Amino acid sequence: MTKPVVYTFPGSIWAAAPHLALVELGIDAEYEVVNLVEGANFDPEFLKLNPNATLPTLTHEGKSFTSTDAVINYLVSISSVEVAPKTSITTAVHSEKVDPNFAFVAARNEEELAKVSGGFANVFMTTRLGHLKKYAASDEGQAHKTFYDQKIASISQVQALLNGQASDRDKQGYFARSTDLWVSTKDFAVETLPGAITVGPFIGGARPGVDDFHVGAWLARIASVVGAKKSEEGIGALENAFGPLPDKVKAYWNAWIKRESWVNAYPDQALH
């Protein structure tokens, strides 16, 4: 059997999920790096593979899988390793209410907005927008005009806010949306997650299951956004943001960061 090809990028929150799964499932794969900073996922050639321009993407034996859920489900289907199946928490962790990508640029007030505007998030958005416009203007990009127009409008709206060009109404709306995100994110971390852990330390039991591949990657991103640079800083950063964590969540984190799959997804224990 040929190896699956996983399209990934260091720093992509959801691309970390198949990195966790591949090791836990004992699957050998090839990796193709798609540079998100340079907007390579907006390249017309990549859009032929995944019209949503998202990571992870996986190809194998003539088939393509273009969402995190589809990629993980396929890996589970071709593995001889049995893991606990997904439950409703996988759907919940992909909800817009707890979107970890929005958490990267969220701002609840002027102080947080200034911090985001002066950090990597702004550079990331500006650089990607430039490459996006380049692809949109290319001859090859004309076939994807509707997609490009929508993406340019969406990113431009956030960039205007980060650069102080948004209206006060838009700014207040952004603050409100960001506040809602962090309320929901805290609820997920301190209520939904421990509620899903029964035997433990993982949702899947003694070893990670399908839910854990998704939730583990999500929790790593949230820990990173609230200040953890390394895995050992995760619990402290999360508690600084949310208050005391349930013992189940602390045990969950500590069980994950010791595993080979975690080191595969987060080399040198560096979170993203």
Side-chain angles (χ1 to χ4, degrees):
M1 184 173 70
T2 59
K3 295 180 182 179
V5 178
V6 178
Y7 294 80
T8 185
F9 181 69
S12 165
I13 180 270
W14 292 124
H19 282 266
L20 295 171
L22 285 162
V23 175
E24 296 292 342
L25 296 170
I27 298 172
D28 191 18
E30 296 179 359
Y31 297 94
E32 290 285 344
V33 174
V34 179
N35 193 322
L36 296 183
V37 178
E38 295 179 356
N41 57 312
F42 299 136
D43 188 317
E45 286 301 311
F46 186 75
L47 291 180
K48 293 177 183 177
L49 187 65
N50 183 346
N52 299 318
T54 55
L55 296 179
T57 295
L58 182 147
T59 58
H60 190 217
E61 298 182 344
K63 293 171 287 197
S64 295
F65 303 89
T66 59
S67 72
T68 310
D69 194 43
V71 169
I72 298 296
N73 290 346
Y74 181 71
L75 292 175
V76 170
S77 75
I78 63 172
S79 173
S80 61
V81 177
E82 292 189 8
V83 296
K86 74 174 183 178
T87 67
S88 60
I89 197 171
T90 287
T91 301
V93 83
H94 285 281
S95 165
E96 286 189 5
K97 292 174 59 177
V98 294
D99 181 3
N101 284 315
F102 182 55
F104 181 59
V105 296
R108 291 168 286 190
N109 50 51
E110 293 286 358
E111 182 181 356
E112 290 185 359
L113 180 58
K115 184 178 179 180
V116 174
S117 298
F120 175 70
N122 197 1
V123 176
F124 179 73
M125 299 291 282
T126 301
T127 304
R128 279 167 60 78
L129 183 60
H131 287 284
L132 176 57
K133 289 180 177 178
K134 178 190 72 174
Y135 289 129
S138 69
D139 291 339
E140 297 84 356
Q142 298 309 301
H144 308 283
K145 186 178 185 307
T146 299
F147 169 84
Y148 286 132
D149 287 348
Q150 292 173 344
K151 280 293 180 182
I152 289 171
S154 175
I155 296 176
S156 295
Q157 186 176 31
V158 177
Q159 189 188 42
L161 188 133
L162 297 181
N163 292 334
Q165 299 168 338
S167 68
D168 186 66
R169 179 180 178 180
D170 286 346
K171 188 189 297 185
Q172 295 306 317
Y174 197 81
F175 291 166
R177 180 186 171 197
S178 298
T179 298
D180 289 344
L181 172 92
W182 282 112
V183 168
S184 297
T185 296
K186 177 181 178 179
D187 287 347
F188 189 96
V190 304
E191 295 182 12
T192 304
L193 173 54
I197 298 170
T198 52
V199 176
F202 297 99
I203 301 167
R207 62 173 298 158
V210 174
D211 290 328
D212 297 293
F213 304 146
H214 298 266
V215 175
W218 178 88
L219 194 60
R221 164 56 64 83
I222 297 304
S224 173
V225 171
V226 298
K229 297 185 183 301
K230 296 281 189 175
S231 296
E232 63 265 24
E233 301 169 359
I235 291 176
L238 289 166
E239 291 196 320
N240 283 339
F242 301 144
L245 294 176
D247 288 342
K248 283 184 177 181
V249 175
K250 290 189 281 189
Y252 185 79
W253 182 266
N254 286 328
W256 253 132
I257 67 176
K258 297 173 184 176
R259 298 186 74 85
E260 178 187 353
S261 57
W262 189 270
V263 178
N264 178 59
Y266 306 101
D268 300 319
Q269 296 286 349
L271 301 177
H272 58 75

